[in-house]
């Protein structure tokens, strides 16, 4: 019987008391009782909202915006194509599609539907929900597609051929489970999944990571990591640095901390980095991570929140060749980190405004240039390319609707690419920022 756990801290000991959950039946989200419960409480809320004098005008304006066909098309750059997952009134569950890169950049996309989730749901009589894809570098002619039955965390993973626009009959297939899968090469996957009894943690996530060869049973895949039942979970993923690929395993001991390993030469090597550090990427043989707490290393203190780089080869040998990339101050923090083929992109929140910088590794550390994005707004990195220095970011503020920018990290140039329409005349207004005691 399903239960929830009530934790009570008494003096220095922790006691756990199992109690019945009177609302456990709401977990069956499509059941008649759950739907009736939701409808009843929605009606109660609606009565309160509709009594407000501004309700009708806010509702009508919101509905106009919601029903607008104008939407920003957020790209995913994979080789010579731009991929996009799109939902609208005709495709409520969505379509996964692609267009030629040159056509998209010219503003004349010729979209080709690869997978229609609505059609697939009707055919299979399953409410499939798209959960993302992982492509095969460098040609991206095959993808691992993750689909959820109804939107839950557990997914079914199937291999897809984009040239034939179909699932591969004898391709990789992972039955419904929480976990992850990514290509190591054309015939090899890195998988964390439910492999059977004793392979999931008490939190309900995988505790094992395996390497799976095409043509063999998943049950016979090579075990490279086995965590503890008490962990949150363990996952594997790959990081590309040019033509080099790193196989990474992360073991989350708790929600905020864990251990990180790299698999090389048939061995799993634990990285000597803080348990709560957040690995961002690898660029030019430099492991990029940001610190969640102070780190005493090489007779110096790297402050909490600092973005640092470490030579991966040295780190795997047990040495710390470390460089500070960015150290925040009282009014600045890191809100995003990504990379292109040759550059590191760092999105900062400075005095509650977004700023975007391009970092380049050099003999004297990391050099940075500021991207000439508009001020007084929110910047979000949208898409990068590991085979070029092209990237996209979005910008918006109180007066500017969401605008997608096309940029080049090598040349440090940018231009507006697509924007939503404004729903009021913003020309009469300006945005300023003031600071007072």
């Amino acid at each position: 019987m399903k239960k929830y756990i009530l934790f009570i801290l008494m003096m220095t000991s922790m006691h756990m008391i199992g109690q019945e959950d009177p609302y456990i039946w709401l977990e069956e989200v499509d059941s008649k009782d759950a739907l009736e419960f939701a409808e009843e409480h929605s009606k109660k809320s609606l009565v309160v909202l509709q009594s407000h004098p501004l309700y009708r005008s806010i509702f009508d304006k919101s509905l106009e915006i919601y029903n607008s066909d104008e939407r920003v098309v957020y790209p995913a750059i994979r080789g010579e194509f731009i991929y996009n997952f799109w939902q609208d009134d005709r495709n409520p569950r969505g379509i996964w599609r692609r267009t030629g890169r040159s056509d998209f950049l010219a503003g004349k996309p010729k979209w080709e539907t690869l997978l229609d989730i609505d059609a697939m749901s009707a055919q299979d009589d399953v409410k499939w929900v798209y959960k993302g894809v992982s492509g095969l570098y460098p040609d991206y002619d095959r993808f691992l597609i993750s689909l959820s039955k109804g939107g839950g965390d557990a997914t079914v993973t199937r291999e897809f051929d984009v040239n034939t626009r179909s699932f591969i009959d004898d391709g990789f297939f992972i039955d419904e489970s929480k976990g992850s899968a990514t290509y190591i090469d054309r015939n090899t996957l890195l998988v964390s999944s439910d492999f059977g009894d004793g392979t999931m943690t008490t939190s309900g996530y995988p505790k094992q990571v395996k390497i799976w060869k095409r043509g063999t049973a998943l049950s016979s895949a090579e075990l490279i990591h086995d965590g503890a039942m008490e962990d949150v979970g363990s996952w594997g993923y790959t990081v590309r640095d040019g033509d080099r690929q790193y196989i990474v395993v992360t073991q989350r001991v708790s929600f905020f901390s864990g251990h990180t390993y790299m698999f090389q030469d048939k061995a799993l090597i634990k990285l000597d980095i803080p348990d709560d550090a957040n690995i961002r990427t690898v660029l030019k043989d430099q492991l990029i991570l940001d610190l969640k707490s102070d780190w005493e290393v090489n007779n110096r203190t790297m402050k909490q929140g600092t973005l640092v780089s470490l030579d991966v080869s040295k780190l795997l040998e047990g040495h710390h060749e470390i460089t500070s990339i960015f150290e925040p101050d009282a009014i600045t923090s890191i809100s995003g980190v990504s990379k292109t083929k040759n550059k590191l992109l760092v999105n900062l929140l400075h005095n509650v405004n977004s700023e975007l910088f391009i970092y380049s590794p050099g003999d004297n550390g990391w050099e940075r240039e500021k991207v000439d994005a508009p001020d007084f707004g929110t910047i979000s990195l949208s898409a990068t390319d590991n085979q070029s220095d092209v990237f996209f970011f979005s910008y918006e503020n109180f007066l500017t609707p969401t605008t997608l920018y096309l940029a080049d990290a090598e040349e440090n140039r940018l231009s507006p690419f697509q924007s939503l329409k404004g729903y009021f005349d913003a020309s009469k207004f300006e945005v300023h920022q003031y600071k007072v005691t």
Side-chain angles (χ1 to χ4, degrees):
M1 182 176 294
K2 294 183 178 179
K3 298 180 179 181
Y4 68 89
I5 302 300
L6 175 65
F7 292 96
I8 303 175
L9 184 63
M10 301 181 64
M11 299 186 69
T12 59
S13 61
M14 184 74 79
H15 298 272
M16 293 185 293
I17 302 174
Q19 294 187 355
E20 298 295 333
D21 181 356
Y23 295 102
I24 195 69
W25 51 274
L26 285 173
E27 291 191 6
E28 301 296 331
V29 295
D30 289 325
S31 69
K32 179 176 179 292
D33 290 342
L35 292 173
E36 287 178 351
F37 178 91
E39 184 178 6
E40 176 189 349
H41 285 75
S42 294
K43 287 179 179 178
K44 291 179 180 179
S45 301
L46 196 58
V47 169
V48 176
L49 293 171
Q50 288 177 332
S51 67
H52 195 284
L54 293 178
Y55 170 82
R56 177 47 57 184
S57 61
I58 293 175
F59 178 88
D60 290 342
K61 177 57 70 173
S62 298
L63 186 62
E64 178 191 356
I65 296 171
Y66 183 80
N67 285 335
S68 171
D69 324 0
E70 294 193 26
R71 289 163 53 199
V72 172
V73 178
Y74 291 101
I77 309 170
R78 298 292 182 269
E80 293 304 312
F81 291 90
I82 299 291
Y83 290 81
N84 169 260
F85 183 71
W86 183 259
Q87 293 172 284
D88 55 27
D89 56 346
R90 292 175 298 176
N91 305 280
R93 295 198 172 273
I95 55 174
W96 183 50
R97 59 186 187 171
R98 74 175 182 178
T99 184
R101 179 178 179 140
S102 58
D103 292 332
F104 184 83
L105 296 180
K108 298 177 180 180
K110 300 172 184 175
W111 293 110
E112 170 193 10
T113 297
L114 300 172
L115 183 63
D116 186 328
I117 308 298
D118 294 274
M120 182 180 175
S121 296
Q123 177 181 317
D124 298 345
D125 194 24
V126 176
K127 294 181 179 179
W128 290 115
V129 176
Y130 174 84
K131 287 288 189 173
V133 299
S134 176
L136 176 61
Y137 177 91
D139 297 327
Y140 296 102
D141 57 336
R142 292 189 174 188
F143 285 80
L144 300 174
I145 299 182
S146 295
L147 298 165
S148 165
K149 296 178 180 179
D153 290 342
T155 61
V156 173
T157 302
R158 298 178 63 181
E159 190 175 22
F160 190 88
D161 186 326
V162 293
N163 294 323
T164 63
R165 291 182 292 174
S166 62
F167 289 107
I168 301 172
D169 289 338
D170 58 348
F172 287 114
F173 174 83
I174 302 172
D175 210 349
E176 187 177 23
S177 170
K178 295 178 183 178
S180 63
T182 188
Y183 285 102
I184 294 176
D185 58 42
R186 193 172 192 83
N187 295 308
T188 315
L189 297 189
L190 186 65
V191 180
S192 57
S193 183
D194 184 349
F195 297 108
D197 292 342
T199 66
M200 302 291 280
T201 67
T202 52
S203 296
Y205 294 97
K207 77 181 188 75
Q208 295 185 342
V209 180
K210 295 185 177 185
I211 293 178
W212 184 22
K213 291 290 186 180
R214 187 183 299 278
T216 65
L218 180 58
S219 58
S220 65
E222 176 190 1
L223 176 67
I224 64 170
H225 169 77
D226 192 2
M229 293 294 293
E230 298 75 22
D231 291 344
V232 173
S234 292
W235 294 268
Y237 60 95
T238 59
V239 180
R240 296 217 66 90
D241 181 20
D243 292 331
R244 187 168 185 179
Q245 176 177 251
Y246 295 94
I247 298 174
V248 182
V249 171
T250 176
Q251 176 187 3
R252 302 306 297 177
V253 176
S254 71
F255 188 80
F256 297 104
S257 64
H259 310 306
T260 304
Y261 308 82
M262 282 191 176
F263 187 73
Q264 283 198 341
D265 300 326
K266 299 291 184 179
L268 200 63
I269 304 170
K270 184 180 178 182
L271 301 185
D272 185 13
I273 59 176
D275 287 349
D276 59 354
N278 182 23
I279 289 183
R280 295 290 192 167
T281 189
V282 179
L283 177 65
K284 304 298 184 182
D285 202 33
Q286 295 290 308
L287 179 72
I288 314 297
L289 55 89
D290 59 75
L291 306 178
K292 302 305 180 184
S293 57
D294 291 354
W295 185 17
E296 299 289 340
V297 58
N298 292 353
N299 298 316
R300 60 190 290 203
T301 301
M302 308 299 287
K303 294 293 185 181
Q304 175 187 4
T306 300
L307 188 69
V308 302
S309 65
L310 296 107
D311 186 291
V312 177
S313 301
K314 300 290 185 183
L315 184 61
L316 290 171
E317 296 171 356
H319 306 295
H320 296 100
E321 189 174 293
I322 187 169
T323 302
S324 174
I325 301 175
F326 172 79
E327 183 175 326
D329 55 30
I331 60 172
T332 310
S333 61
I334 296 170
S335 59
V337 177
S338 190
K339 72 166 187 177
T340 62
K341 181 179 180 180
N342 299 296
K343 305 291 183 178
L344 187 69
L345 304 174
V346 181
N347 189 4
L348 300 179
L349 189 64
H350 175 69
N351 204 19
V352 299
N353 287 297
S354 290
E355 295 180 345
L356 183 58
F357 290 87
I358 300 170
Y359 282 80
S360 305
D363 295 335
N364 299 315
W366 292 82
E367 301 175 353
R368 79 173 191 175
E369 299 177 80
K370 185 177 180 181
V371 176
D372 189 23
D375 294 324
F376 302 123
T378 300
I379 294 173
S380 300
L381 291 168
S382 298
T384 58
D385 181 15
N386 58 17
Q387 294 172 303
S388 77
D389 289 309
V390 169
F391 70 99
F392 289 86
F393 70 90
S394 62
Y395 170 87
E396 61 182 304
N397 72 0
F398 298 113
L399 305 180
T400 307
T402 302
T403 302
L404 187 67
Y405 279 81
L406 170 63
D408 187 309
E410 179 65 35
E411 302 293 334
N412 191 8
R413 64 171 184 261
L414 71 157
S415 59
F417 186 77
Q418 184 187 5
S419 178
L420 295 180
K421 77 172 186 178
Y423 284 88
F424 66 95
D425 182 7
S427 63
K428 300 179 290 185
F429 305 99
E430 294 180 345
V431 177
H432 296 276
Q433 184 178 37
Y434 301 95
K435 183 179 180 180
V436 298
T437 56

